[in-house]
Amino acid sequence: MTAANSLPDARPVATGSRSGVRRAQRFGLYALLVLVAVIAGGPLYWLISSALKTNPQIYSYPPHWIPTDLHWSNFSDAWRAAPFGRFFLNSLIVSVIGTAIELTAALLCAYAFVFLPFPGKKVLFLFLLGAMMVPGHVTLLPNFLTIAQLGWVNSYAGLIAPGLGSVFGTFLLRQHMLTLPQEITDAAKIDGAGHLRILFRVVLPMSRPMVITVALVVMVGKWNDFIWPLIVTSSTDMRTLPIGLLFLKNTETFANWGAILAGAVMVVVPVLVMFFFAQRYIIAGLTQGAGK
Amino acid sequence: MTTDLMQDGRAVPPSPATAGEAGPRTPARRRRREYLLFAAFAAPNFLFLLVFAYWPVIYNAYLSLTDWDMVSSSWHMIGLDNYTSLFADPDFRGSLWTTVLFVVGIVAGGLVLGLATALLLNQRLRGRDVVRTLAFAPYVLSGAAVGTLWLFVFDPNYGLIRPLLAPLGLAAPAMMTDSRWALFGLVVVYLWKNTGFVAVVYLAGLQGLPRDVFEAAALDGAGAWTRLRRIILPLLSPVTFFLLVTCTISTFQAFDVIAMMTNGGPGTSTSILSWFIYDQGFRTFDAGRASAAAMIMFVVLLLITGFQARFLQRKVHYQ
């Protein structure tokens, strides 16, 4: 269908021809689809393209929809105004180490709930789920005091520790492990494998998609985390990317949009890249529990 | 793999879980071992949750009864004074009202727009997978970056908003620095960020619906609107319920975009409860009041979730 004949066909609704109505409908649906794409993707395009414009282009009106040549100096400006390399490293350390610890703890815990007996297991599980009801804002001040008492303010330990408890991940992994065929773990047991061995050699390989899902979602959460790093870091060299961006914005206030946008691009791009490659896992993880 | 395990299992001298042969093994001992193992496996996760999720609730409740200022080494128990002073404070009451507008705007707007998007993406259209991906992408982005982006979009001089409004003959408002517009601006940003999530969840729900119901309805001559109201919405009500609960909880705690775009201002126009708590605790250093406000948020969320679970779920089933 070319634009040339779809356009006139979009109107003859009035003629009452059935196929005309159909065509008009389809045309309308595609128009809506494009609209949704533009609304969702437009601002993102605007962010990335503007980060590559020269300042005169950024500030010009009417706007430059397409940057004429890729202008990277905004990134070096941002880099000069704040140690973005360091922020990047901090974000990476916090989200990777935090995810590794949280995932390990969640795996062990989920395994215990599925494959090991314990008196009062059901109540314990409810206790675990109950933690989901605690809003982050209630834990803010007490956690800050706990971390201060441990002497961990402004340190990686302080950044990482409060986020390690896993309800969501444990729950998903447990649900998944419940679906694994009992015979396989039984067989491994008869063959003399210990529980750690069964977990890492049998259960884990069979749970790969779910583990990837949980790992990605947890990692994205830690990468984007804002309020806790804002509270617990006090020196520039301990800031994570989102906090670094906040301070860049506050120091460069409207003086240099190019640098600020370049900073935002640096926060966004790693997650975007991950999302485009692993969206199946990420969407599955983030929308879990919706079914039923 | 099985033989592998067997050989390894034998190679290891009396490992705890190896069945039988090594030493006397009563079922009771074996059971005790497994209890211990359960405790060891579950301990790290439970420890984290106890220290950083459950203990804070108790600690926070305690702090809310004190007049501590986060600096001095002494403080007093002042009973419920923080709570009474909060409810007497017009800023706090205003903050509750702003929270209501904010949450209702984002949750209701998100459900409507998300459902509409899902209905569109459920049509057999070319390129719909690309659009679905695009629509979901903002949801995974850092609120700090999203806030920055939209500050730029809303900038009355350089932002996208100016060329978009110009053809309509409208001048761009100072969106985020005008107290009449700022809350609305935040709602728009959060809708942009979250609607893809709602749409994807609804889309999954739509694709799980039985086809024959639609066919029967179409044969009965039901129009699109009737089908939506009488068939699709009732069948999707469990999904709506799930979204209502999760979106309400997360919207109450929205913070990063606000910290990036408005700092609760101008004036107190975007000071929703989550900002108010942060402001009291970490900018005014009034730990008692901050904790009291946090307890109020906790109770409100419990009530809302409980209410939604009780009443709406009943409605969901009987529809």
Side-chain angles (χ1 to χ4, degrees), chain B residues 202-227:
Chain B
Y202 264 133
L203 190 60
L206 280 170
Q207 285 169 352
L209 295 184
R211 281 226 83 78
D212 48 344
V213 183
F214 293 99
E215 279 154 15
L219 282 179
D220 287 347
W225 181 243
T226 317
R227 265 178 303 180

Side-chain angles (χ1 to χ4, degrees), chain A residues 26 30 39-40 43 46 118 127 130-131 133 135-137 143 166 170 191 195 197 224 249 268 271 276 279 286, chain B residues 2 5-6 8 35 37-38 45 52 54 56 124 126 133 140 142 145 148-149 152 192 197 253 260 274 298:
Chain A
R26 296 222 55 81
Y30 273 108
I39 292 175
W46 190 244
F118 199 74
F127 183 80
M133 287 308 300
H137 271 74
N143 279 350
S166 167
T170 309
D191 289 348
H195 282 287
R197 207 181 171 78
N224 290 341
K249 192 213 93 191
V268 154
V271 173
F276 283 117
Q279 51 167 316
L286 284 170
Chain B
T2 339
L5 283 172
M6 184 147 50
D8 281 357
Y35 285 179
L37 209 57
F38 178 95
N45 196 27
F52 295 113
Y54 279 106
R124 275 198 208 109
R126 235 178 274 174
T133 302
V140 299
S142 130
T148 309
L149 161 61
F152 183 53
W192 179 77
F197 169 78
Q253 300 178 70
M260 214 64 200
S274 65
F298 184 37

Side-chain angles (χ1 to χ4, degrees), chain B:
Chain B
M1 168 170 275
T2 339
T3 47
D4 188 1
L5 283 172
M6 184 147 50
Q7 283 159 358
D8 281 357
R10 283 206 187 119
V12 179
S15 114
T18 24
E21 72 255 83
R25 272 189 160 282
T26 61
R29 272 189 63 179
R30 197 196 135 95
R31 188 134 272 254
R32 226 178 37 232
R33 282 215 72 93
E34 288 190 319
Y35 285 179
L36 272 175
L37 209 57
F38 178 95
F41 274 25
N45 196 27
F46 271 93
L47 186 76
F48 296 141
L49 290 174
L50 274 174
V51 176
F52 295 113
Y54 279 106
W55 165 244
V57 177
I58 300 166
Y59 201 171
N60 192 79
Y62 169 73
L63 283 174
S64 76
L65 305 175
T66 71
D67 64 353
W68 190 42
D69 61 2
M70 308 247 330
V71 199
S72 19
S73 52
S74 71
W75 62 78
H76 306 97
M77 293 296 289
I78 55 168
L80 296 175
D81 282 8
N82 284 320
Y83 293 91
T84 46
S85 101
L86 274 179
F87 281 110
D89 177 359
D91 278 353
F92 178 74
R93 289 203 306 255
S95 165
L96 286 181
W97 176 237
T98 311
T99 310
V100 170
L101 292 178
F102 180 80
V103 172
V104 170
I106 290 168
V107 175
L111 287 184
V112 172
L113 291 174
L115 178 62
T117 311
L119 287 169
L120 177 70
L121 292 177
N122 197 36
Q123 308 290 322
R124 275 198 208 109
L125 299 172
R126 235 178 274 174
R128 65 175 179 178
D129 290 347
V130 178
V131 178
R132 192 200 59 184
T133 302
L134 268 180
F136 195 82
Y139 186 69
V140 299
L141 300 183
S142 130
V146 168
T148 309
L149 161 61
W150 280 86
L151 269 180
F152 183 53
V153 169
F154 281 152
D155 188 297
N157 296 313
Y158 320 121
L160 268 180
I161 191 174
R162 187 172 165 204
L164 287 183
L165 289 181
L168 308 171
L170 298 171
M175 204 69 167
M176 303 320 285
T177 48
D178 182 334
S179 56
R180 288 167 304 172
W181 287 105
L183 188 67
F184 175 74
L186 281 180
V187 171
V188 169
V189 176
Y190 274 106
L191 283 178
W192 179 77
K193 189 164 166 21
N194 297 345
T195 298
F197 169 78
V198 178
V200 165
V201 174
Y202 264 133
L203 190 60
L206 280 170
Q207 285 169 352
L209 295 184
R211 281 226 83 78
D212 48 344
V213 183
F214 293 99
E215 279 154 15
L219 282 179
D220 287 347
W225 181 243
T226 317
R227 265 178 303 180
L228 178 65
R229 271 203 42 208
R230 294 290 164 92
I231 302 170
I232 298 178
L233 280 182
L235 285 175
L236 283 183
S237 57
V239 181
T240 306
F241 171 70
F242 165 83
L243 285 169
L244 201 57
V245 175
T246 49
C247 293
T248 305
I249 292 176
S250 65
T251 309
F252 255 91
Q253 300 178 70
F255 180 82
D256 41 15
V257 174
I258 298 168
M260 214 64 200
M261 295 186 78
T262 66
N263 279 352
T268 55
S269 59
T270 60
S271 172
I272 68 166
L273 198 47
S274 65
W275 174 265
F276 185 90
I277 294 167
Y278 169 77
D279 186 54
Q280 293 293 311
F282 295 94
R283 280 156 55 110
T284 318
F285 302 113
D286 194 333
R289 267 165 71 90
S291 319
M295 284 319 280
I296 292 169
M297 180 199 253
F298 184 37
V299 172
V300 168
L301 277 179
L302 280 182
L303 287 178
I304 291 178
T305 319
F307 175 82
Q308 286 176 336
R310 226 161 215 287
F311 294 92
L312 289 175
Q313 203 156 39
R314 187 181 303 159
K315 216 176 157 201
V316 164
H317 281 308
Y318 290 137
Q319 225 160 18

Side-chain angles (χ1 to χ4, degrees), chain A residues 28-42:
Chain A
L29 286 176
Y30 273 108
L32 280 174
L33 199 66
V34 171
L35 184 71
V36 172
V38 168
I39 292 175

